[in-house]
Amino acid sequence: MSAAPNTKTRAWNRSKKVGAMPSRCLILLFLFTYKPSPEVAAEIQESSDGPGVQEPVRLTDVQAAMEFIAAAEVAVIGFFQDLEVPAVSLIHGVVQNFQDVSFGISTASEVLAHYNITGNTISLFRLVDNKQLDMKGEDMESMDATKLSRFIESNNLHLVTEYNAITAIGLFNSMIPIHLLLIMNKASSEFEENLHRFQEAAKLFQGRILFILVDSGVKQNEKAISFFKLKMSELPALAIYQTLDDKWDTLPITEVLVEQVQNFCDGFLKGKGLRENHESEEKTSKVEL
């Protein structure tokens, strides 16, 4: 699924050393337009009401499975021949650790056939890039709670995904090659309001741009910030990056405005204001000196 290693592409997250490669595939354009039935919606809402409450939803037919997946930004479904396999208890064991993920289980043959499942499989479905990722075969045989959690964590991408060493794997393996970063300190008093507007803007570019939150208050994120030649005094800021050719641009801001984000993204998609990668700028600076 990934391309061959590209040193430049991984520069801004090199300090994480996650070994993730950027995708070289075309951008997916998609939109889920239908709403889940009241029964499925109620089950999903009940399963995300808070810690200690969430349990996997039993999916007994194809329609229920489709609606369940469409209603969640990230859904994990265990497709099993029966409920006696060890993986069933593993799913129950990790559910409470992922309150932002919807969990389901299905043993219905029609459901397994619809999703091309031929053996016991755990699949993760993402709305942000319309992706289905499967753990099956040898991965299932050697799976334990730690491996299952890692699989979910590294692929748990939302309309807005917080950047860290684990989510970086999924971000750079996504088929969407353009990333928009909001670089802001989560401890600031204006954070929640700005995040809400950033999430609203993300819906406008669903399937075309991955929206990412980078907490400038986390020391481990300093190299990601320095890649875009941003000083702490210039934050908060937007930074947009294309993994295919390392083009990028930045926009220091005082607050997040949906129209401002939209114009910034549209301009980048049209090729306006693009900068070369970090290494190229360093060479230019040396020539000027």
Side-chain angles (χ1 to χ4, degrees), residues 49-280:
D49 280 342
V53 176
Q54 183 169 221
E55 289 293 338
V57 174
R58 288 295 301 275
L59 304 170
T60 58
D61 56 56
V62 172
Q63 185 65 25
M66 291 176 62
E67 292 178 345
F68 179 80
I69 293 167
E73 286 192 33
V74 179
V76 172
I77 300 179
F79 297 104
F80 305 120
Q81 305 292 339
D82 59 66
L83 296 179
E84 301 302 317
V85 297
V88 174
S89 61
L90 289 178
I91 288 182
H92 282 274
V94 303
V95 164
Q96 305 307 327
N97 299 329
F98 298 95
Q99 294 297 315
D100 59 348
V101 175
S102 296
F103 287 82
I105 289 177
S106 182
T107 57
S109 58
E110 64 175 291
V111 176
L112 273 63
H114 180 78
Y115 291 101
N116 299 314
I117 304 298
T118 57
N120 294 323
T121 302
I122 294 178
S123 298
L124 182 144
F125 298 85
R126 290 195 305 233
L127 176 65
V128 70
D129 58 359
N130 198 27
K131 191 71 177 175
Q132 176 182 339
L133 301 170
D134 299 328
M135 285 189 72
K136 55 186 178 181
E138 294 182 359
D139 290 333
M140 286 292 292
E141 293 175 7
S142 62
M143 188 181 63
D144 55 24
T146 299
K147 291 180 180 178
L148 178 57
S149 295
R150 180 81 175 189
F151 169 71
I152 297 171
E153 281 182 299
S154 61
N155 294 295
N156 189 15
L157 306 186
H158 291 257
L159 288 177
V160 174
T161 302
E162 183 166 357
Y163 175 81
N164 58 49
I166 304 300
T167 58
I169 299 173
L171 289 168
F172 280 96
N173 279 329
S174 171
M175 284 190 275
I176 299 177
I178 301 178
H179 301 169
L180 178 70
L181 288 63
L182 169 61
I183 305 173
M184 187 175 190
N185 194 324
K186 289 176 64 176
S188 67
S189 58
E190 303 86 8
F191 172 73
E192 291 297 334
E193 184 177 353
N194 281 280
L195 177 61
H196 175 71
R197 289 197 287 264
F198 194 60
Q199 291 169 329
E200 289 300 308
K203 297 175 183 177
L204 302 176
F205 294 92
Q206 184 178 326
R208 293 186 291 163
I209 298 176
L210 291 178
F211 277 55
I212 304 166
L213 169 66
V214 177
D215 186 357
S216 60
V218 175
K219 186 173 180 59
Q220 289 86 343
N221 291 336
E222 289 180 357
K223 284 198 174 182
I225 297 171
S226 66
F227 173 81
F228 297 104
K229 304 184 76 68
L230 286 167
K231 301 175 182 178
M232 297 303 289
S233 60
E234 296 177 295
L235 303 181
L238 298 174
I240 195 164
Y241 175 74
Q242 182 163 284
T243 64
L244 298 179
D245 55 14
D246 290 343
K247 300 291 186 181
W248 59 273
D249 195 14
T250 57
L251 179 67
I253 57 176
T254 55
E255 63 177 335
V256 175
L257 300 174
V258 174
E259 184 177 1
Q260 182 185 52
V261 174
Q262 185 175 6
N263 291 337
F264 184 56
C265 291
D266 285 338
F268 188 84
L269 291 172
K270 294 175 182 177
K272 298 178 181 179
L274 301 185
R275 303 192 200 183
E276 295 296 333
N277 63 68
H278 183 68
E279 295 175 357
S280 296

